[in-house]
Amino acid sequence: DQQVKQNSPSLSVQEGRISILNCDYTNSMFDYFLWYKKYPAEGPTFLISISSIKDKNEDGRFTVFLNKSAKHLSLHIVPSQPGDSAVYFCAASANRIQGAQKLVFGQGTRLTINP
Amino acid sequence: NAGVMQNPRHLVRRRGQEARLRCSPMKGHSHVYWYRQLPEEGLKFMVYLQKENIIDESGMPKERFSAEFPKEGPSILRIQQVVRGDSAAYFCASSPAGASNQPQHFGDGTRLSIL
């Protein structure tokens, strides 16, 4: 039962253009969503998050959009840079539920930024 | 380094041996989470602990696996009588006490290989 899905295993984008990574979820109890970036042989690095009371959160080149009715979120990176090449994981949790802060991860999308 | 510290980074065990993985959370964090990542997959939740308490162990196999987070010292994930299927990357994350909508921060993981 894959509660968080990233349907694109890979994405290739030209340097300077916009990268859009997508994520879908099925559990309506999820109320906190995060994006992590991961390089090989390292742990996931937190990028940006959004609470379910918002539909957009922006931090520098990174913006996360949340569409609760569609149970869909996306990460926009603009402009894309070569250092953005990594695997990106979407994650969700149900923070309203006591003790339920565990993260449920998608399978990841490998982003490659081409010079 | 004020980040989440995991050791060892790499651990090799023969089938039937015990594996002990250690995690020191970020300074000021008292919540610890363990996740496992199999090749080409996302991270899967195993266990959530606070100091001296297991809050949620729903993702941990019932047999051979145990976790603790003592009052003093690091959190320990223990795998007894390891089998080939235990080969994976094990990641620890931490978050502040009473955190709601606070991201979990990850260590660089322990790569466990079973011969």
Side-chain angles (χ1 to χ4, degrees):
Chain A
D1 177 25
Q2 190 71 31
Q3 297 186 64
V4 178
K5 291 183 182 179
Q6 293 176 255
N7 291 317
S8 298
S10 63
L11 177 67
S12 189
V13 174
Q14 197 78 17
E15 181 180 358
R17 306 294 287 267
I18 184 171
S19 295
I20 300 176
L21 296 100
N22 294 301
C23 179
D24 297 294
Y25 63 96
T26 57
N27 190 340
S28 57
M29 298 304 294
F30 288 149
D31 58 1
Y32 184 52
F33 304 89
L34 310 90
W35 284 94
Y36 286 85
K37 171 181 176 180
K38 188 179 182 303
Y39 294 119
E42 294 185 11
T45 300
F46 170 71
L47 276 177
I48 192 168
S49 63
I50 188 165
S51 162
S52 59
I53 62 173
K54 295 186 174 182
D55 55 19
K56 177 183 174 182
N57 189 26
E58 191 172 353
D59 183 2
R61 296 185 299 115
F62 302 93
T63 303
V64 55
F65 295 91
L66 176 63
N67 182 334
K68 287 191 293 294
S69 60
K71 292 192 175 68
H72 177 84
L73 64 156
S74 61
L75 174 68
H76 292 209
I77 306 173
V78 56
S80 300
Q81 300 173 354
D84 296 330
S85 295
V87 177
Y88 288 77
F89 289 100
C90 167
S93 67
N95 278 359
R96 284 172 300 190
I97 301 174
Q98 186 71 21
Q101 284 81 4
K102 66 183 181 186
L103 295 178
V104 180
F105 281 84
Q107 309 95 308
T109 297
R110 183 178 302 277
L111 175 65
T112 303
I113 306 301
N114 301 308
Chain B
N1 186 345
V4 177
M5 301 300 292
Q6 289 187 249
N7 69 81
R9 290 296 309 276
H10 300 274
L11 183 60
V12 180
R13 285 287 178 266
R14 296 189 181 279
R15 280 178 295 170
Q17 291 185 321
E18 178 180 289
R20 282 192 179 223
L21 289 63
R22 294 174 185 76
C23 170
S24 295
M26 282 180 72
K27 189 174 182 180
H29 288 190
S30 60
H31 294 203
V32 165
Y33 312 79
W34 286 93
Y35 295 84
R36 176 165 66 176
Q37 185 184 26
L38 296 171
E40 304 304 321
E41 292 188 12
L43 283 73
K44 296 280 196 291
F45 168 78
M46 298 182 74
V47 61
Y48 165 28
L49 308 104
Q50 297 175 17
K51 282 285 186 182
E52 300 183 280
N53 285 308
I54 295 175
I55 306 302
D56 180 359
E57 56 182 348
S58 59
M60 201 150 70
K62 294 284 188 288
E63 296 180 356
R64 303 189 298 108
F65 285 72
S66 63
E68 63 176 4
F69 189 16
K71 188 177 179 181
E72 302 290 337
S75 175
I76 306 285
L77 179 67
R78 183 180 177 208
I79 312 172
Q80 295 178 290
Q81 299 172 344
V82 296
V83 300
R84 288 251 169 88
D86 297 333
S87 295
Y90 292 82
F91 292 97
C92 170
S94 71
S95 67
S100 178
N101 293 353
Q102 290 288 326
Q104 295 175 23
H105 294 275
F106 284 80
D108 281 337
T110 294
R111 270 98 188 139
L112 176 63
S113 298
I114 308 303
L115 301 180

